[in-house]
Amino acid sequence: DDDLPKIIGNLRIVLGDDVHLEGEQVWIAAGDGRMRTLEIGDRTYIGYGTQLISGTSLRIGSDVLIANRVLLNGFDGHPLDPIARARGEPPGPDGYGPIVVEDHAWIGSNAIVLKNVTIGRAAVVATGAVVTRDVPPLTVVAGNPARPVRTIETPVEWRAA
């Protein structure tokens, strides 16, 4: 809207049509110095204070709603080994991973989605949920760690297709 998001690192960014990023408080970052990718599909909304961190790749589909202060984090930031952390080393190869948010998904405020996770088509992540595993399409997840709490009926328009 008013200001540009903050972009940090070596990123290839592909934006679809009518993407809405809620200003300078949106942070977009590569997990390390290597080239990473962020793709956002058409008509997607990214809310205020959201952080998008591409570990290897981050793909957000079309017609996705991401509320305020969401963290999509594909990068651990530090290794588990305390000595390696003290030396400032990056995480090992397991410390990076892709995140995919499929079309029509909705992620509620303050949710966290971690590496190696796919949020399925039209799935909903509840406010404050911490997603550590894939979310099936048309499923609502909540809690820490996020667990399925209900399913969503397939829209009539999708049944005919």
Side-chain angles (χ1 to χ4, degrees), residues 34-47:
R34 291 179 263 182
M35 175 62 77
R36 302 302 184 191
T37 302
L38 168 65
E39 297 178 46
I40 302 176
D42 299 336
R43 299 170 305 280
T44 288
Y45 173 87
I46 309 289

Side-chain angles (χ1 to χ4, degrees), residues 56-154:
T56 55
S57 64
L58 179 50
R59 183 169 50 88
I60 300 169
S62 295
D63 301 302
V64 171
L65 297 175
I66 298 179
N68 297 334
R69 295 173 305 280
V70 169
L71 171 61
L72 302 182
N73 189 2
F75 176 62
D76 288 347
H78 304 284
L80 289 176
D81 179 288
I83 303 305
R85 270 197 315 272
R87 288 192 297 253
E89 295 178 17
D94 292 340
Y96 305 82
I99 296 174
V100 176
V101 180
E102 294 182 347
D103 296 347
H104 301 279
W106 174 20
I107 301 176
S109 296
N110 297 303
I112 298 171
V113 178
L114 299 178
K115 69 180 190 264
N116 300 319
V117 166
T118 296
I119 306 296
R121 183 180 189 207
V124 175
V125 175
T127 295
V130 178
V131 183
T132 60
R133 296 184 178 155
D134 290 349
V135 177
L138 295 165
T139 301
V140 179
V141 296
N144 180 3
R147 301 275 188 243
V149 294
R150 68 180 287 190
T151 57
I152 301 166
E153 187 174 328
T154 302

